[in-house]
Amino acid sequence: MKIVKVQDIIGTEREVSDKQWTSRRLLLKKDGMGFSFHETIIKAGSEHTFWYKHHLEAVYCVAGNGRIKDLATGEVHEITDGTLYALDNHDKHTLYGGTEDMRLICAFNPPVTGQEVHDEDGAYLSDTSDN
């Protein structure tokens, strides 16, 4: 059994951030669960384009608001507390922070290692092999 408290992640190598977002990686590939699990804070008013070519991601909003735009179709969807979106087709998308910070709970398959950085397409490499 694993017990992970987000307050124990803050300030460690499992917390990654810049001026527009913070990601707290509660479960990583090396934890052996077959997926990774994150808490991500998207700053109000920010804009992010991502394309997870090698990962599927499910995201559940537990606080705040924003929007997501499917770049293939142009469709825009509002995100509020209680909204889940699933990037089940490696969807290229733009995520917009709303009027308040969004707190998102995210699962990635395959799991990330925690060492990834977004490439020029907004994607992670398929695996950085941290067991």
Side-chain angles (χ1 to χ4, degrees):
M1 178 182 299
K2 296 180 185 312
I3 305 296
V4 180
K5 296 181 180 183
V6 73
Q7 62 265 31
D8 295 337
I9 300 283
I10 295 171
T12 73
E13 70 281 350
R14 287 186 180 229
E15 182 181 51
V16 179
S17 64
D18 73 9
K19 294 177 184 176
Q20 302 299 318
W21 57 267
T22 300
S23 178
R24 298 171 180 138
R25 284 82 187 268
L26 290 99
L27 292 174
L28 292 169
K29 180 180 179 182
K30 66 183 173 184
D31 294 309
M33 295 292 296
F35 60 91
S36 57
F37 196 76
H38 315 221
E39 175 187 73
T40 299
I41 308 299
I42 299 294
K43 297 292 184 182
S46 64
E47 181 177 326
H48 315 268
T49 298
F50 300 118
W51 184 19
Y52 296 120
K53 297 182 270 189
H54 309 290
H55 297 83
L56 298 175
E57 183 188 23
V59 179
Y60 184 66
C61 179
V62 296
N65 61 68
R67 295 175 293 128
I68 187 169
K69 181 177 184 179
D70 182 330
L71 295 179
T73 67
E75 290 180 283
V76 177
H77 304 276
E78 295 296 317
I79 301 171
T80 58
D81 181 10
T83 303
L84 178 134
Y85 65 88
L87 303 168
D88 59 341
N89 289 306
H90 305 281
D91 310 277
K92 189 172 188 178
H93 62 287
T94 299
L95 188 60
Y96 302 93
T99 59
E100 52 189 86
D101 292 354
M102 270 192 298
R103 183 170 166 244
L104 306 171
I105 306 303
C106 316
F108 278 87
N109 182 18
V112 301
T113 65
Q115 303 305 307
E116 292 82 4
V117 293
H118 292 102
D119 69 12
E120 64 279 354
D121 288 327
Y124 290 146
L125 297 176
S126 59
D127 188 349
T128 56
S129 294
D130 183 21
N131 294 325

